[in-house]
Amino acid sequence: MQNAIREVLEAVYEPLFYEHSYGFRPKRSAHDAVRVLNQVLYQGEGNWILEADIKSFFDSIDRKTLVEMLQNRVADGSLLRLIGKCLHVGVLDGSDYTEPEEGTVQGSTLSPLLGNIYLHYVLDDWFKRVVLPRLRGKAQLIRYADDFVIAFARQDDAERVQRVLGRRFERYGLELHPDKTRLIPFERPRTRKGKGPRTFDFLGFTFYWGRARSGCRVPRVKTRKASLRRSLRTVADWCRRYRHLSVKEQHAALTRRVEGHLNYFGVNGNSRSLRQFIRGVEGAWHRWLNRRSQRSRLNWDRMNDLLAANPLPKPRIRVQIWSS
């Protein structure tokens, strides 16, 4: 039923949503958002980056306000009542049953779209109609679900928006994380030898100023350190729990996990982080294979032979973020 409601609401709201919204929408991806942001930085329109984090977004959505927003486009009372029931659906976690009193249920197929509708009115439409006309320079909002950054050409514009953004969210029951919401200078270094400015993170990537083959500074992305550590911890935990499986079974499962990582983080310019991830996976696999038996130790010579017979995927680029 939720899938059917989602299809109806998508038909209603897709024409309304703005281009800068990328999360959980047809034919749009996180890579599209990263690609557009990289282009904005390359064009010199992101000298200041407002990096924002919404605390417990899906749990903080005001249901009454959300229904009022839906009434702007949905006139069918039966459909609205069905959506209301979906908002109150319970969650079964093992033998524990709960009915959240606030927000939308995470894991529901309908929640991402409802979240997009909520932020369309709270952030996207407000930014386009109210904020942009009042700015002195260019600015670009880029949002993927509840993760967003705003790139500004001018510092004074960025500071003005930063001052009012928190109050805007409070009106709708949302709160920006005080430690994770920050304004970052990100102007292109003026000299080729000059040290780049601070970095910032978005959608698991770290944005920084790298060097093109010509020596000029250009925006680049790499895997965020926290994302890399989390991925390697997940792999190591899997190797620990399933070290009793045959090498063939372990190799197949690890290959799937490595492929999933490469499909997302395999963007051009990120080869170093990809190689680091592959080496980390090989190290974790070796460590836990070595603990399967006290009598037969697996040194690295034998491990290299095992990897030659059961190779993991190579760290190659899957997605083009910027043109060569």
Side-chain angles (χ1 to χ4, degrees):
M1 184 184 71
Q2 291 190 27
N3 284 335
I5 295 173
R6 176 177 53 79
E7 290 181 8
V8 172
L9 291 181
E10 277 185 353
V12 172
Y13 281 97
E14 270 301 313
L16 187 68
F17 288 156
Y18 289 106
E19 285 292 316
H20 61 245
S21 171
Y22 292 91
F24 304 106
R25 295 182 59 191
K27 300 180 180 180
R28 286 169 173 260
S29 68
H31 291 135
D32 294 328
V34 172
R35 187 178 296 111
V36 169
L37 178 55
N38 190 81
Q39 184 64 24
V40 169
L41 299 173
Y42 181 81
Q43 294 172 347
E45 299 173 2
N47 297 327
W48 290 83
I49 301 295
L50 181 55
E51 184 182 25
D53 182 87
I54 306 174
K55 293 179 64 175
S56 304
F57 169 66
F58 287 99
D59 294 331
S60 302
I61 291 177
D62 186 287
R63 293 177 177 177
K64 181 180 178 181
T65 303
L66 174 60
V67 172
E68 292 174 353
M69 293 174 176
L70 291 169
Q71 289 173 343
N72 291 328
R73 300 278 293 183
V74 180
D76 191 311
S78 298
L79 180 58
L80 289 172
R81 284 192 295 272
L82 279 176
I83 296 173
K85 290 181 179 181
C86 293
L87 290 173
H88 291 83
V89 70
V91 178
L92 186 63
D93 184 8
S95 60
D96 297 329
Y97 177 79
T98 58
E99 292 186 2
E101 297 180 357
E102 299 293 338
T104 63
V105 179
Q106 295 193 51
S108 161
T109 59
L110 188 58
S111 289
L113 177 55
L114 294 178
N116 268 342
I117 294 171
Y118 201 77
L119 284 179
H120 170 80
Y121 290 104
V122 175
L123 178 62
D124 300 356
D125 192 57
W126 169 74
F127 183 80
K128 281 287 188 180
R129 293 190 303 103
V130 179
V131 174
L132 279 181
R134 290 173 168 79
L135 300 182
R136 300 177 63 186
K138 292 185 177 181
Q140 177 69 56
L141 167 66
I142 299 170
R143 180 174 69 81
Y144 187 92
D146 58 324
D147 292 328
F148 70 93
V149 296
I150 309 177
F152 297 89
R154 295 175 57 97
Q155 180 180 359
D156 54 349
D157 287 338
E159 291 173 344
R160 288 176 59 196
V161 174
Q162 184 184 29
R163 285 194 296 268
V164 301
L165 187 63
R167 295 197 296 270
R168 172 69 181 180
F169 276 60
E170 288 174 2
R171 288 179 54 189
Y172 294 89
L174 303 177
E175 181 182 359
L176 294 176
H177 198 295
D179 298 326
K180 298 180 180 180
T181 301
R182 54 183 185 154
L183 187 60
I184 304 163
F186 202 72
E187 187 175 5
R188 189 191 306 267
R190 298 184 182 278
T191 62
R192 293 188 177 185
K193 297 182 179 180
K195 185 178 180 180
R198 295 170 62 185
T199 63
F200 70 93
D201 301 321
F202 184 53
L203 298 179
F205 293 97
T206 294
F207 285 75
Y208 68 100
W209 286 103
R211 293 185 186 277
R213 294 179 181 177
S214 63
C216 297
R217 290 283 191 170
V218 289
R220 292 290 185 258
V221 297
K222 61 183 178 181
T223 307
R224 184 186 178 192
K225 289 183 179 179
S227 301
L228 181 60
R229 288 194 299 267
R230 183 166 55 249
S231 297
L232 289 175
R233 280 198 303 268
T234 300
V235 169
D237 183 62
W238 188 94
C239 291
R240 176 184 62 81
R241 289 186 291 113
Y242 294 98
R243 63 184 184 274
H244 62 279
L245 297 178
S246 68
V247 170
K248 182 178 180 181
E249 291 174 307
Q250 291 187 47
H251 173 257
L254 288 175
T255 296
R256 290 193 296 270
R257 282 163 173 75
V258 171
E259 286 286 353
H261 185 91
L262 296 180
N263 285 340
Y264 185 77
F265 290 104
V267 303
N268 50 340
N270 195 30
S271 298
R272 182 177 180 181
S273 295
L274 299 181
R275 290 193 296 268
Q276 187 177 352
F277 175 73
I278 300 297
R279 288 196 299 269
V281 172
E282 293 174 347
W285 195 15
H286 170 252
R287 183 165 61 254
W288 289 106
L289 282 177
N290 206 22
R291 296 189 182 187
R292 294 208 302 182
S293 173
Q294 295 294 330
R295 293 175 297 178
S296 178
R297 287 295 181 180
L298 184 69
N299 58 34
W300 268 106
D301 288 336
R302 293 179 58 197
M303 184 64 191
N304 287 330
D305 291 338
L306 184 149
L307 288 170
N310 303 273
L312 294 174
K314 298 296 182 182
R316 61 188 181 87
I317 302 306
R318 309 291 179 88
V319 180
Q320 295 290 325
I321 296 298
W322 43 269
S323 301
S324 302

